[in-house]
Amino acid sequence: MIVNIAAYHFVRIDAPQALIDMLRPCAEAQQLRGTVLVAAEGINLFLAGAAAGIETFLALLRADARFESIAVKVSHSAHTPFARLKFKLKREIISFRRDHADPLQGRAPAVVPVDLARWIAQGHDDAGRRLVLLDTRNREEVRFGSFAGALTLPIDRFTDLPAVMAAQSSALADAAVVSYCTGGIRCEKAALWLRANGVPQALQLEGGILGYFEQVGGLGYQGHCFVFDERVALAPDLRPLVDADPVGADCG
């Protein structure tokens, strides 16, 4: 059984290439596959391999005080869903290119999965505000599944979100808007941007859809969650929609 992990952590990294040079030999020695993105703002990784190899890599990463608290989402598959191992030096670990969306300056408030499940069941947040679930993913990802009744956007990439949301901000000003994405990384920036641009009650779903699946299951969710590898998408019980040999997947 292959262990698959997804994790990200926003933290200032003064020498991103040095971090890559430290982590790559370990990942190679443990025969891991997947993609590790490193930028001055943090790290974003999707890796697969044997359980022992994954644990060895995470132990090395967490030995660095900057990543001691990194949250990791775990799932399993019968085959390795990545064709190769890639380390990439990037300007951002998730491209957004907007002001007022820097997680290094502070996070937007987050709602944990168990609380969101309760809000979904009751139809409002604990203050009685109407609940709007905002899907920050692109239209192809949404096609595989989303929260029932969510506000989905006609976007092809995350950088398109501000232009589309600009026309909707005033209608959402009185709502508890919970932005969500696959693993939480896009929510970090989207919620910050929304709060600075007319949606003062915007929150982020802690851990994204995958974190919700891990902790709550599929309550309120319809379909699967698209993932950026050869598993294609995961069901709420984290089983892969497709479990086949890789043909060159990239985490993008």
Side-chain angles (χ1 to χ4, degrees), residues 153-174:
L153 306 176
I155 61 176
D156 295 313
R157 57 189 63 84
F158 185 46
T159 51
D160 297 336
L161 182 145
V164 173
M165 286 302 301
Q168 306 200 40
S169 293
S170 61
L172 299 175
D174 66 334

Side-chain angles (χ1 to χ4, degrees), residues 5-140:
I5 61 171
Y8 73 91
H9 194 67
F10 284 107
V11 65
R12 190 171 306 282
I13 301 176
D14 293 327
Q17 186 59 54
L19 181 63
I20 290 175
D21 293 342
M22 180 189 74
L23 295 175
R24 191 202 303 269
C26 176
E28 291 174 342
Q30 299 303 320
Q31 300 182 322
L32 304 183
R33 294 180 185 176
T35 300
V36 179
L37 309 178
V38 181
E41 68 176 6
I43 190 170
N44 184 19
L45 61 88
F46 307 81
L47 290 172
I54 292 291
E55 288 303 318
T56 297
F57 180 85
L58 288 177
L60 175 64
L61 181 61
R62 286 173 168 153
D64 184 322
R66 295 172 295 183
F67 306 106
E68 185 178 10
S69 62
I70 190 170
V72 177
K73 288 169 280 296
V74 179
S75 61
H76 299 86
S77 60
H79 302 278
T80 302
F82 303 107
R84 62 187 67 86
L85 175 66
K86 301 177 182 179
F87 278 77
K88 298 181 179 180
L89 181 62
K90 306 284 284 186
R91 290 184 60 186
E92 297 178 84
I93 56 174
I94 182 67
S95 294
F96 194 50
R97 301 193 292 273
R98 292 294 190 280
D99 294 331
H100 311 297
D102 182 3
L104 296 182
Q105 302 301 314
R107 301 182 80 212
V111 56
V112 297
V114 66
D115 287 341
L116 181 60
R118 186 178 71 254
W119 293 1
I120 290 172
Q122 65 194 26
H124 54 78
D125 73 357
D126 291 336
R129 289 183 291 257
R130 65 188 179 97
L131 178 64
V132 175
L133 298 171
L134 173 62
D135 199 323
T136 65
R137 302 171 302 160
N138 67 50
R139 68 183 92 208
E140 284 302 308

